[in-house]
Amino acid sequence: KLNRYLKIGVFLPREISSFFDALRAGIQAAQADAGAPIDLSFFCYPRLGEGDVGAMEKAHWQRFDGMIVAPGNSATWKRISDLAKQQ
């Protein structure tokens, strides 16, 4: 057990809502069953590969202990990935 909250950023697109809405609900259900103090912060961007990195930067992704992401374009994720490796 941790003596602090884990801060998890969840970055998922709005489209295709039939898939990603269910995924968000599943993440929230898992949080309730985790038995550990987890603080989830949800962020949306228009669609897969469109606005994902911008949403992460706007949310100051470095403040999270972990992230759940749906990367769409691997070329745009290289900068985020390189920065995360340095931390």
Side-chain angles (χ1 to χ4, degrees):
K1 295 270 181 182
L2 296 174
N3 291 330
R4 65 180 183 90
Y5 278 88
L6 281 177
K7 296 181 209 170
I8 307 293
V10 182
F11 297 87
L12 299 172
R14 283 186 206 96
E15 297 294 330
I16 305 168
S17 61
S18 61
F19 177 79
F20 288 106
D21 287 349
L23 184 56
R24 277 185 269 281
I27 292 168
Q28 288 175 318
Q31 173 196 23
D33 292 341
I38 299 173
D39 179 22
L40 292 176
S41 296
F42 286 87
F43 303 91
C44 293
Y45 48 91
R47 58 185 45 87
L48 201 58
E50 183 180 307
D52 46 5
V53 172
M56 292 178 66
E57 289 173 337
K58 186 176 180 180
H60 304 287
W61 64 270
Q62 296 94 336
R63 69 187 170 111
F64 296 109
D65 298 308
M67 293 186 297
I68 298 171
V69 299
N73 181 347
S74 60
T76 62
W77 279 82
K78 179 164 177 29
R79 183 170 39 86
I80 298 288
S81 175
D82 290 346
L83 287 171
K85 288 176 191 174
Q86 295 172 9
Q87 295 197 12

Coordinates of all heavy atoms in Angstrom, one line a residue:
K1 N 0.8 -1.2 0.0 CA 0.0 0.0 0.0 C 0.9 1.2 0.0 O 1.9 1.3 0.7 CB -0.9 0.0 1.2 CG -1.9 -1.1 1.3 CD -3.1 -0.7 0.6 CE -4.2 -1.8 0.7 NZ -5.4 -1.5 0.1
L2 N 0.4 2.2 -0.8 CA 1.1 3.5 -0.8 C 0.6 4.4 0.2 O -0.6 4.4 0.5 CB 1.0 4.1 -2.2 CG 1.7 3.3 -3.4 CD1 1.3 3.9 -4.7 CD2 3.2 3.2 -3.2
N3 N 1.4 5.3 0.7 CA 1.0 6.4 1.6 C 0.6 7.6 0.8 O 0.4 8.7 1.4 CB 2.1 6.7 2.6 CG 2.3 5.5 3.6 OD1 1.4 4.8 3.8 ND2 3.5 5.4 4.0
R4 N 0.5 7.6 -0.5 CA 0.1 8.7 -1.3 C -0.7 8.3 -2.5 O -0.7 7.1 -2.8 CB 1.4 9.5 -1.8 CG 2.2 8.6 -2.7 CD 3.4 9.4 -3.2 NE 4.2 8.7 -4.1 CZ 4.0 8.7 -5.5 NH1 3.1 9.5 -6.0 NH2 4.8 8.0 -6.3
Y5 N -1.4 9.2 -3.1 CA -2.1 9.0 -4.3 C -1.2 8.8 -5.4 O -0.2 9.5 -5.6 CB -3.1 10.1 -4.6 CG -4.4 10.1 -3.8 CD1 -4.5 10.7 -2.5 CD2 -5.5 9.4 -4.3 CE1 -5.6 10.6 -1.8 CE2 -6.7 9.4 -3.6 CZ -6.7 10.0 -2.4 OH -7.9 9.9 -1.7
L6 N -1.5 7.8 -6.3 CA -0.9 7.8 -7.6 C -1.6 8.7 -8.5 O -2.9 8.6 -8.6 CB -0.9 6.3 -8.1 CG 0.1 5.4 -7.6 CD1 -0.1 4.0 -8.2 CD2 1.5 5.9 -7.9
K7 N -1.0 9.5 -9.3 CA -1.6 10.4 -10.2 C -1.5 9.8 -11.6 O -0.3 9.7 -12.1 CB -1.0 11.8 -10.2 CG -1.2 12.5 -8.9 CD -0.6 13.9 -8.9 CE -0.2 14.3 -7.6 NZ 0.6 15.5 -7.6
I8 N -2.6 9.4 -12.2 CA -2.6 8.8 -13.5 C -3.3 9.7 -14.5 O -4.4 10.1 -14.3 CB -3.2 7.4 -13.5 CG1 -2.6 6.5 -12.4 CG2 -3.2 6.8 -14.9 CD1 -1.2 6.1 -12.7
G9 N -2.6 10.1 -15.6 CA -3.3 10.9 -16.7 C -3.8 9.9 -17.7 O -3.1 9.0 -18.2
V10 N -5.0 10.1 -18.1 CA -5.6 9.2 -19.1 C -5.9 10.1 -20.4 O -6.7 11.0 -20.3 CB -6.9 8.6 -18.6 CG1 -7.5 7.6 -19.6 CG2 -6.7 7.8 -17.3
F11 N -5.2 9.8 -21.4 CA -5.3 10.6 -22.7 C -5.9 9.7 -23.8 O -5.2 8.8 -24.3 CB -4.0 11.1 -23.1 CG -3.3 12.0 -22.1 CD1 -2.6 11.5 -21.0 CD2 -3.5 13.4 -22.1 CE1 -2.0 12.3 -20.1 CE2 -3.0 14.2 -21.2 CZ -2.2 13.7 -20.2
L12 N -7.2 9.9 -24.1 CA -7.9 9.1 -25.1 C -8.7 10.0 -26.0 O -9.2 11.1 -25.6 CB -8.9 8.2 -24.4 CG -8.2 7.1 -23.4 CD1 -9.3 6.4 -22.7 CD2 -7.3 6.2 -24.2
P13 N -8.9 9.6 -27.3 CA -9.6 10.4 -28.2 C -11.1 10.3 -28.0 O -11.6 9.4 -27.4 CB -9.2 9.8 -29.6 CG -8.8 8.5 -29.3 CD -8.2 8.5 -27.9
R14 N -11.8 11.3 -28.5 CA -13.3 11.3 -28.4 C -13.9 10.3 -29.4 O -14.9 9.7 -29.2 CB -13.9 12.7 -28.7 CG -13.8 13.7 -27.6 CD -14.5 15.0 -27.9 NE -13.9 16.0 -27.1 CZ -12.9 16.8 -27.5 NH1 -12.5 16.8 -28.7 NH2 -12.4 17.7 -26.7
E15 N -13.3 10.3 -30.6 CA -13.7 9.4 -31.7 C -12.9 8.2 -31.7 O -11.7 8.3 -31.6 CB -13.6 10.1 -33.0 CG -14.5 11.4 -33.2 CD -16.0 11.0 -33.1 OE1 -16.4 9.9 -33.6 OE2 -16.8 11.9 -32.7
I16 N -13.3 7.1 -31.8 CA -14.6 6.5 -32.0 C -15.2 6.3 -30.6 O -14.7 5.5 -29.8 CB -14.4 5.1 -32.7 CG1 -13.6 5.3 -34.0 CG2 -15.7 4.4 -32.8 CD1 -13.2 4.1 -34.6
S17 N -16.2 7.1 -30.3 CA -16.8 7.1 -29.0 C -17.3 5.8 -28.5 O -17.2 5.4 -27.3 CB -17.9 8.2 -28.9 OG -18.9 7.9 -29.7
S18 N -17.8 5.0 -29.4 CA -18.4 3.6 -29.0 C -17.2 2.8 -28.4 O -17.5 1.9 -27.5 CB -19.0 2.9 -30.1 OG -18.1 2.7 -31.2
F19 N -16.0 3.0 -28.8 CA -14.9 2.2 -28.3 C -14.3 2.9 -27.1 O -14.1 2.4 -26.0 CB -13.8 2.0 -29.3 CG -12.6 1.3 -28.8 CD1 -12.6 -0.1 -28.6 CD2 -11.5 2.0 -28.5 CE1 -11.5 -0.7 -28.1 CE2 -10.4 1.3 -28.0 CZ -10.4 0.0 -27.8
F20 N -13.9 4.2 -27.2 CA -13.2 4.9 -26.2 C -14.0 5.3 -25.0 O -13.5 5.3 -23.9 CB -12.4 6.1 -26.8 CG -11.3 5.7 -27.6 CD1 -11.3 5.8 -29.0 CD2 -10.1 5.2 -27.1 CE1 -10.3 5.4 -29.8 CE2 -9.1 4.8 -27.9 CZ -9.1 4.9 -29.2
D21 N -15.3 5.5 -25.1 CA -16.2 5.7 -24.0 C -16.2 4.4 -23.1 O -16.2 4.5 -21.9 CB -17.6 6.1 -24.4 CG -17.6 7.5 -24.9 OD1 -16.6 8.3 -24.8 OD2 -18.7 7.9 -25.5
A22 N -16.3 3.3 -23.7 CA -16.3 2.0 -23.0 C -14.9 1.8 -22.3 O -14.9 1.3 -21.2 CB -16.6 0.8 -23.9
L23 N -13.9 2.2 -23.0 CA -12.5 2.1 -22.4 C -12.4 3.0 -21.1 O -11.9 2.6 -20.1 CB -11.5 2.4 -23.4 CG -10.0 2.3 -23.0 CD1 -9.7 0.9 -22.5 CD2 -9.1 2.6 -24.1
R24 N -12.9 4.2 -21.2 CA -12.9 5.1 -20.1 C -13.7 4.5 -18.9 O -13.2 4.6 -17.8 CB -13.5 6.5 -20.5 CG -12.5 7.4 -21.2 CD -13.1 8.8 -21.4 NE -13.7 8.9 -22.7 CZ -13.1 9.1 -23.8 NH1 -11.8 9.2 -23.9 NH2 -13.8 9.2 -25.0
A25 N -14.8 4.0 -19.2 CA -15.6 3.4 -18.1 C -14.9 2.2 -17.5 O -15.0 2.0 -16.3 CB -17.0 2.9 -18.7
G26 N -14.2 1.4 -18.3 CA -13.4 0.3 -17.7 C -12.3 0.8 -16.9 O -12.0 0.2 -15.8
I27 N -11.7 1.8 -17.3 CA -10.6 2.4 -16.5 C -11.1 2.9 -15.1 O -10.5 2.7 -14.1 CB -9.8 3.5 -17.2 CG1 -9.1 2.9 -18.4 CG2 -8.9 4.3 -16.3 CD1 -8.6 4.0 -19.4
Q28 N -12.2 3.6 -15.1 CA -12.8 4.0 -13.9 C -13.3 2.9 -13.0 O -13.1 2.9 -11.8 CB -14.0 4.9 -14.2 CG -13.6 6.3 -14.7 CD -14.8 7.1 -15.2 OE1 -15.7 6.7 -15.8 NE2 -14.7 8.4 -14.8
A29 N -13.8 1.8 -13.6 CA -14.2 0.6 -12.8 C -12.9 0.0 -12.2 O -13.0 -0.4 -11.0 CB -14.9 -0.4 -13.7
A30 N -11.8 -0.1 -12.9 CA -10.6 -0.7 -12.4 C -10.1 0.2 -11.2 O -9.5 -0.4 -10.3 CB -9.6 -0.8 -13.5
Q31 N -10.2 1.5 -11.3 CA -9.8 2.4 -10.3 C -10.5 2.1 -9.0 O -10.0 2.0 -7.9 CB -10.0 3.8 -10.6 CG -9.7 4.8 -9.5 CD -10.3 6.2 -9.7 OE1 -11.2 6.4 -10.5 NE2 -9.7 7.2 -9.1
A32 N -11.8 1.9 -9.1 CA -12.7 1.6 -7.9 C -12.3 0.2 -7.3 O -12.4 0.1 -6.1 CB -14.1 1.6 -8.3
D33 N -11.8 -0.7 -8.1 CA -11.5 -2.0 -7.6 C -10.0 -2.2 -7.2 O -9.6 -3.2 -6.7 CB -11.8 -3.1 -8.7 CG -13.2 -3.3 -8.9 OD1 -14.1 -2.9 -8.1 OD2 -13.6 -3.8 -10.0
A34 N -9.2 -1.1 -7.4 CA -7.8 -1.2 -7.2 C -7.4 -1.4 -5.8 O -6.3 -2.0 -5.5 CB -7.1 0.0 -7.8
G35 N -8.1 -0.8 -4.9 CA -7.7 -0.9 -3.5 C -6.6 -0.1 -3.1 O -6.0 -0.2 -2.0
A36 N -6.2 0.8 -4.0 CA -5.1 1.8 -3.7 C -5.6 3.2 -4.1 O -6.5 3.3 -4.9 CB -3.9 1.4 -4.6
P37 N -5.0 4.2 -3.4 CA -5.4 5.5 -3.7 C -4.9 6.0 -5.1 O -3.7 6.3 -5.3 CB -4.8 6.4 -2.6 CG -3.7 5.6 -2.1 CD -4.0 4.1 -2.4
I38 N -5.8 6.0 -6.1 CA -5.4 6.4 -7.5 C -6.3 7.6 -7.9 O -7.5 7.6 -7.8 CB -5.6 5.3 -8.4 CG1 -4.8 4.1 -8.1 CG2 -5.3 5.7 -9.9 CD1 -5.0 2.9 -8.9
D39 N -5.6 8.7 -8.3 CA -6.3 9.9 -8.8 C -6.2 9.9 -10.3 O -5.1 10.1 -10.9 CB -5.6 11.1 -8.2 CG -6.2 12.4 -8.7 OD1 -7.3 12.4 -9.1 OD2 -5.5 13.4 -8.6
L40 N -7.3 9.7 -11.0 CA -7.3 9.7 -12.4 C -7.7 11.1 -12.9 O -8.6 11.7 -12.4 CB -8.4 8.7 -12.9 CG -8.1 7.2 -12.7 CD1 -9.3 6.4 -13.2 CD2 -6.8 6.8 -13.4
S41 N -7.0 11.5 -14.0 CA -7.4 12.7 -14.6 C -7.5 12.4 -16.1 O -6.6 11.9 -16.8 CB -6.2 13.8 -14.5 OG -6.1 14.2 -13.2
F42 N -8.8 12.6 -16.6 CA -9.1 12.3 -18.0 C -8.9 13.5 -18.9 O -9.4 14.6 -18.6 CB -10.5 11.7 -18.1 CG -10.7 10.3 -17.5 CD1 -10.9 10.1 -16.2 CD2 -10.5 9.2 -18.4 CE1 -11.0 8.9 -15.7 CE2 -10.7 8.0 -17.9 CZ -10.9 7.8 -16.5
F43 N -8.4 13.3 -20.1 CA -8.2 14.3 -21.1 C -8.6 13.7 -22.4 O -8.3 12.6 -22.7 CB -6.7 14.8 -21.2 CG -6.2 15.3 -19.8 CD1 -5.6 14.4 -18.9 CD2 -6.4 16.6 -19.5 CE1 -5.1 14.9 -17.7 CE2 -6.0 17.1 -18.3 CZ -5.3 16.2 -17.4
C44 N -9.3 14.5 -23.2 CA -9.7 14.1 -24.5 C -9.1 14.9 -25.6 O -8.8 16.1 -25.4 CB -11.2 14.2 -24.7 SG -12.1 13.0 -23.6
Y45 N -9.0 14.3 -26.8 CA -8.6 15.1 -28.0 C -9.4 14.5 -29.1 O -10.1 13.5 -29.0 CB -7.1 14.9 -28.2 CG -6.5 13.5 -28.2 CD1 -6.5 12.7 -29.3 CD2 -6.1 13.0 -26.9 CE1 -6.0 11.4 -29.2 CE2 -5.6 11.7 -26.9 CZ -5.6 10.9 -28.0 OH -5.1 9.6 -27.9
P46 N -9.5 15.2 -30.2 CA -10.5 15.0 -31.3 C -10.5 13.5 -31.8 O -11.6 12.9 -31.7 CB -10.1 15.9 -32.4 CG -9.4 17.0 -31.8 CD -8.7 16.4 -30.6
R47 N -9.4 13.0 -32.3 CA -9.4 11.6 -32.8 C -8.0 11.1 -32.7 O -7.1 11.8 -32.6 CB -10.0 11.5 -34.2 CG -9.4 12.4 -35.2 CD -10.1 12.3 -36.6 NE -11.6 12.5 -36.5 CZ -12.2 13.7 -36.4 NH1 -11.6 14.8 -36.5 NH2 -13.5 13.7 -36.3
L48 N -7.9 9.8 -32.9 CA -6.6 9.1 -32.8 C -5.6 9.8 -33.8 O -5.9 9.9 -35.0 CB -6.8 7.6 -33.2 CG -5.8 6.6 -32.8 CD1 -5.6 6.6 -31.3 CD2 -6.2 5.2 -33.2
G49 N -4.5 10.2 -33.2 CA -3.5 10.8 -34.0 C -3.7 12.3 -34.3 O -2.9 12.9 -35.0
E50 N -4.7 12.9 -33.7 CA -5.0 14.3 -33.9 C -5.2 15.0 -32.6 O -6.2 14.9 -32.0 CB -6.3 14.4 -34.7 CG -6.6 15.8 -35.1 CD -7.9 15.9 -35.9 OE1 -8.0 15.2 -36.9 OE2 -8.8 16.6 -35.5
G51 N -4.1 15.7 -32.1 CA -4.2 16.5 -30.9 C -3.8 15.8 -29.7 O -3.8 16.3 -28.6
D52 N -3.3 14.5 -29.8 CA -2.9 13.8 -28.6 C -1.7 14.4 -27.9 O -1.7 14.7 -26.7 CB -2.6 12.3 -28.9 CG -1.7 12.1 -30.2 OD1 -1.3 13.1 -30.8 OD2 -1.6 10.9 -30.6
V53 N -0.6 14.7 -28.6 CA 0.6 15.3 -28.0 C 0.2 16.7 -27.4 O 0.7 17.0 -26.3 CB 1.7 15.4 -28.9 CG1 2.9 16.1 -28.4 CG2 2.2 13.9 -29.3
G54 N -0.6 17.5 -28.1 CA -1.0 18.8 -27.6 C -1.7 18.7 -26.3 O -1.5 19.5 -25.4
A55 N -2.6 17.7 -26.2 CA -3.4 17.5 -25.0 C -2.5 17.2 -23.9 O -2.7 17.6 -22.7 CB -4.5 16.5 -25.2
M56 N -1.5 16.3 -24.1 CA -0.5 15.9 -23.1 C 0.3 17.1 -22.6 O 0.5 17.3 -21.4 CB 0.3 14.8 -23.6 CG -0.4 13.5 -23.8 SD 0.7 12.2 -24.4 CE 1.8 12.0 -23.1
E57 N 0.7 17.9 -23.5 CA 1.5 19.1 -23.2 C 0.7 20.1 -22.4 O 1.2 20.6 -21.4 CB 2.2 19.7 -24.4 CG 3.2 18.8 -25.0 CD 3.8 19.4 -26.4 OE1 3.0 20.1 -27.1 OE2 4.9 19.0 -26.7
K58 N -0.5 20.3 -22.8 CA -1.4 21.3 -22.1 C -1.7 20.8 -20.7 O -1.8 21.6 -19.8 CB -2.7 21.4 -22.9 CG -3.6 22.5 -22.3 CD -4.8 22.7 -23.2 CE -5.7 23.7 -22.6 NZ -6.9 23.9 -23.4
A59 N -1.7 19.5 -20.5 CA -2.0 18.9 -19.2 C -0.8 18.8 -18.3 O -0.8 18.3 -17.2 CB -2.7 17.5 -19.3
H60 N 0.4 19.2 -18.9 CA 1.7 19.0 -18.1 C 1.9 17.6 -17.7 O 2.0 17.3 -16.5 CB 1.7 20.0 -16.9 CG 1.5 21.4 -17.3 ND1 2.4 22.2 -18.0 CD2 0.4 22.2 -17.1 CE1 2.0 23.4 -18.2 NE2 0.7 23.4 -17.7
W61 N 2.0 16.7 -18.7 CA 2.1 15.3 -18.5 C 3.2 14.8 -17.5 O 3.0 13.8 -16.9 CB 2.2 14.5 -19.8 CG 3.5 14.9 -20.5 CD1 3.7 15.9 -21.4 CD2 4.8 14.2 -20.4 NE1 5.1 15.9 -21.8 CE2 5.7 14.8 -21.2 CE3 5.2 13.1 -19.6 CZ2 7.0 14.4 -21.3 CZ3 6.5 12.7 -19.7 CH2 7.4 13.4 -20.6
Q62 N 4.2 15.6 -17.3 CA 5.3 15.2 -16.4 C 4.9 15.2 -15.0 O 5.5 14.5 -14.2 CB 6.5 16.2 -16.6 CG 7.1 16.2 -17.9 CD 6.6 17.3 -18.8 OE1 5.4 17.8 -18.7 NE2 7.4 17.7 -19.8
R63 N 3.7 15.8 -14.6 CA 3.3 15.7 -13.2 C 2.6 14.4 -12.8 O 2.4 14.2 -11.7 CB 2.3 16.9 -13.0 CG 1.0 16.7 -13.7 CD 0.1 18.0 -13.5 NE -1.0 17.9 -14.4 CZ -2.3 17.8 -14.0 NH1 -2.5 17.7 -12.7 NH2 -3.3 17.8 -14.8
F64 N 2.4 13.5 -13.8 CA 1.7 12.3 -13.5 C 2.7 11.2 -13.1 O 3.9 11.2 -13.6 CB 0.9 11.8 -14.7 CG -0.3 12.8 -15.0 CD1 -0.2 13.6 -16.1 CD2 -1.3 12.9 -14.1 CE1 -1.3 14.4 -16.4 CE2 -2.4 13.7 -14.4 CZ -2.3 14.5 -15.5
D65 N 2.3 10.3 -12.3 CA 3.1 9.1 -12.0 C 3.1 8.1 -13.1 O 4.0 7.2 -13.2 CB 2.6 8.5 -10.6 CG 2.8 9.4 -9.5 OD1 3.9 10.0 -9.3 OD2 1.8 9.6 -8.8
G66 N 2.0 8.1 -13.9 CA 1.9 7.2 -15.0 C 0.8 7.8 -15.9 O 0.1 8.7 -15.6
M67 N 0.8 7.2 -17.1 CA -0.2 7.6 -18.1 C -0.8 6.4 -18.8 O -0.2 5.4 -19.0 CB 0.5 8.5 -19.1 CG 0.9 9.8 -18.5 SD 1.5 11.0 -19.8 CE 3.0 10.1 -20.4
I68 N -2.0 6.6 -19.2 CA -2.7 5.7 -20.1 C -3.0 6.5 -21.4 O -3.6 7.5 -21.3 CB -4.0 5.2 -19.5 CG1 -3.8 4.4 -18.2 CG2 -4.8 4.3 -20.5 CD1 -5.0 4.0 -17.4
V69 N -2.5 6.0 -22.5 CA -2.5 6.7 -23.8 C -3.0 5.8 -24.9 O -2.8 4.6 -24.8 CB -1.2 7.4 -24.1 CG1 -0.8 8.4 -23.0 CG2 -0.1 6.4 -24.3
A70 N -3.5 6.5 -25.9 CA -3.8 5.8 -27.2 C -3.1 6.5 -28.3 O -3.6 7.4 -28.9 CB -5.3 5.7 -27.4
P71 N -1.8 6.3 -28.5 CA -1.0 7.0 -29.5 C -1.5 6.7 -30.9 O -1.7 5.5 -31.2 CB 0.4 6.6 -29.2 CG 0.3 5.2 -28.6 CD -1.0 5.2 -27.8
G72 N -1.6 7.7 -31.7 CA -2.0 7.5 -33.0 C -0.9 7.6 -34.1 O -0.9 6.8 -35.0
N73 N 0.0 8.5 -33.9 CA 1.1 8.7 -34.9 C 2.4 8.6 -34.1 O 2.8 9.5 -33.4 CB 0.9 10.1 -35.5 CG 2.0 10.4 -36.5 OD1 3.0 9.7 -36.6 ND2 1.7 11.4 -37.3
S74 N 3.1 7.5 -34.3 CA 4.3 7.3 -33.6 C 5.4 8.4 -33.8 O 6.2 8.6 -32.9 CB 4.9 5.9 -33.9 OG 5.2 5.8 -35.3
A75 N 5.4 9.0 -34.9 CA 6.4 10.1 -35.2 C 6.2 11.2 -34.2 O 7.2 11.8 -33.8 CB 6.3 10.5 -36.6
T76 N 5.0 11.6 -33.9 CA 4.7 12.7 -33.0 C 5.0 12.4 -31.6 O 5.2 13.3 -30.7 CB 3.3 13.3 -33.2 OG1 2.4 12.2 -32.8 CG2 3.0 13.8 -34.6
W77 N 5.0 11.1 -31.3 CA 5.3 10.7 -29.9 C 6.7 10.5 -29.5 O 7.1 10.4 -28.4 CB 4.6 9.3 -29.7 CG 3.1 9.5 -29.4 CD1 2.1 9.7 -30.3 CD2 2.5 9.6 -28.1 NE1 1.0 9.8 -29.7 CE2 1.1 9.8 -28.3 CE3 3.0 9.5 -26.8 CZ2 0.2 9.9 -27.3 CZ3 2.1 9.6 -25.8 CH2 0.7 9.8 -26.0
K78 N 7.6 10.6 -30.5 CA 9.0 10.4 -30.2 C 9.5 11.5 -29.2 O 10.3 11.1 -28.3 CB 9.8 10.5 -31.5 CG 11.3 10.4 -31.2 CD 12.1 10.1 -32.5 CE 13.6 10.0 -32.3 NZ 14.1 9.5 -31.0
R79 N 9.1 12.7 -29.4 CA 9.6 13.8 -28.4 C 9.1 13.5 -27.0 O 9.9 13.5 -26.0 CB 9.1 15.1 -28.9 CG 9.6 16.3 -28.0 CD 9.3 17.6 -28.7 NE 8.0 17.7 -29.3 CZ 6.8 18.0 -28.7 NH1 6.9 18.3 -27.4 NH2 5.7 18.1 -29.3
I80 N 7.9 13.1 -26.8 CA 7.3 12.8 -25.5 C 8.1 11.5 -24.9 O 8.5 11.5 -23.8 CB 5.8 12.5 -25.6 CG1 5.1 13.8 -26.0 CG2 5.3 12.0 -24.3 CD1 5.0 14.9 -25.0
S81 N 8.2 10.5 -25.8 CA 8.9 9.3 -25.3 C 10.3 9.6 -24.9 O 10.8 9.1 -23.9 CB 8.9 8.3 -26.5 OG 9.6 7.2 -26.1
D82 N 11.0 10.4 -25.7 CA 12.4 10.7 -25.3 C 12.5 11.5 -24.0 O 13.4 11.2 -23.2 CB 13.1 11.5 -26.4 CG 13.4 10.7 -27.7 OD1 13.3 9.5 -27.6 OD2 13.6 11.3 -28.7
L83 N 11.6 12.4 -23.8 CA 11.6 13.2 -22.6 C 11.2 12.3 -21.4 O 11.8 12.4 -20.3 CB 10.6 14.3 -22.6 CG 10.9 15.5 -23.5 CD1 9.8 16.5 -23.7 CD2 12.1 16.3 -22.9
A84 N 10.3 11.4 -21.6 CA 9.9 10.5 -20.5 C 11.1 9.6 -20.1 O 11.2 9.2 -18.9 CB 8.7 9.7 -20.9
K85 N 11.9 9.1 -21.0 CA 13.0 8.3 -20.7 C 14.0 9.0 -19.9 O 14.7 8.3 -19.1 CB 13.7 7.8 -22.0 CG 12.8 6.8 -22.8 CD 13.5 6.5 -24.1 CE 12.6 5.7 -25.0 NZ 13.3 5.5 -26.3
Q86 N 14.1 10.3 -20.0 CA 15.1 11.1 -19.2 C 14.7 11.3 -17.8 O 15.5 11.6 -17.0 CB 15.3 12.4 -19.9 CG 15.9 12.3 -21.3 CD 16.0 13.7 -22.0 OE1 15.7 14.7 -21.4 NE2 16.3 13.7 -23.2
Q87 N 13.4 11.1 -17.5 CA 12.9 11.4 -16.1 C 13.1 10.2 -15.2 O 13.2 9.1 -15.4 CB 11.5 11.8 -16.1 CG 11.4 13.1 -16.9 CD 10.0 13.8 -16.6 OE1 9.3 13.4 -15.7 NE2 9.8 14.8 -17.4

